[in-house]
Amino acid sequence: MMDYDLFMQEIIRTARAEIESAGYEQLRTPEEVEKAFARPGTTLVMINSVCGCAGGIARPAAANAIHYDKRPDHLVTVFAGQDKEATAAARAHFGEEHIPSSPAFVLLKDGKVVADIGRHEIEGHDVMSVITNLQAYFEEYCDEV
C-alpha cells in the first residue's frame, strides 16, 4: 500500500516538472514574486495546482499557448496550496477584482494586470479553448517574437 504523503509528493513533483519543462520560472517565495512582477514587459503568471483540471487542461494549455507569433516576455508560475506565501504575494498584486482560483492565468504588462483566465474558464473546457483565450490576450498585449 502506497503512503498518501509520498503519493502526493510525487504528484507535486510531476506538476512542477511539467510547467518548468514548458519554460515557466517557478516563484517559490514572496521575494521571487516581487522581483518577477517588477520586470518590464509582459508576464504570464500560471497559478498551478494539483487538481485534475490543472493537469489535464491548464498545464497543457500553458505549454502549448506560447507557440504563437506573439507571446509574453516572461513566463512564471506559483503553486497554490504548496508555495502558499508566494501565491498570496502574487494574488495581492492581482487586485480585489481578481477572484482567487487555481488553476488560473494572469497576464501582466509592466506589473499591471491586463487579463486573467480563472478556474471557471478552465474547468469543464477543453485545452484548445484555453489556448485560444490565452493567445487572444497575447495578440492584444504582447509583442511578436
Side-chain angles (χ1 to χ4, degrees):
M1 184 171 203
M2 181 178 258
D3 179 86
Y4 178 77
D5 289 333
L6 290 175
F7 175 71
M8 287 307 298
Q9 288 306 311
E10 183 57 32
I11 289 174
I12 294 162
R13 270 192 297 280
T14 300
R16 287 186 191 280
E18 284 176 7
I19 199 69
E20 195 169 66
S21 70
Y24 287 73
E25 173 190 1
Q26 293 200 49
L27 307 177
R28 299 186 76 169
T29 67
E31 296 78 20
E32 290 173 346
V33 169
E34 295 301 323
K35 185 177 176 184
F37 286 15
R39 295 176 189 148
T42 52
T43 301
L44 180 62
V45 183
M46 193 271 182
I47 297 89
N48 203 354
S49 174
V50 296
C51 73
C53 62
I57 302 167
R59 286 193 299 273
N64 289 288
I66 59 176
H67 301 288
Y68 190 67
D69 291 340
K70 293 183 177 183
R71 62 170 269 182
D73 300 309
H74 313 284
L75 304 170
V76 300
T77 183
V78 294
F79 205 129
Q82 301 305 310
D83 301 323
K84 294 176 184 176
E85 292 172 351
T87 303
R91 287 179 172 153
H93 278 276
F94 301 156
E96 292 180 18
E97 301 83 39
H98 175 78
I99 299 168
S101 66
S102 59
F105 295 93
V106 176
L107 184 63
L108 306 174
K109 185 161 189 154
D110 297 324
K112 306 281 188 237
V113 174
V114 293
D116 71 350
I117 296 174
R119 181 185 179 105
H120 67 281
E121 296 175 275
I122 298 169
E123 185 177 34
H125 294 81
D126 61 63
V127 175
M128 281 309 300
S129 67
V130 177
I131 290 171
T132 300
N133 288 343
L134 284 168
Q135 290 177 342
Y137 291 136
F138 297 170
E139 187 66 33
E140 185 172 351
Y141 297 106
C142 299
D143 294 327
E144 199 163 323
V145 180

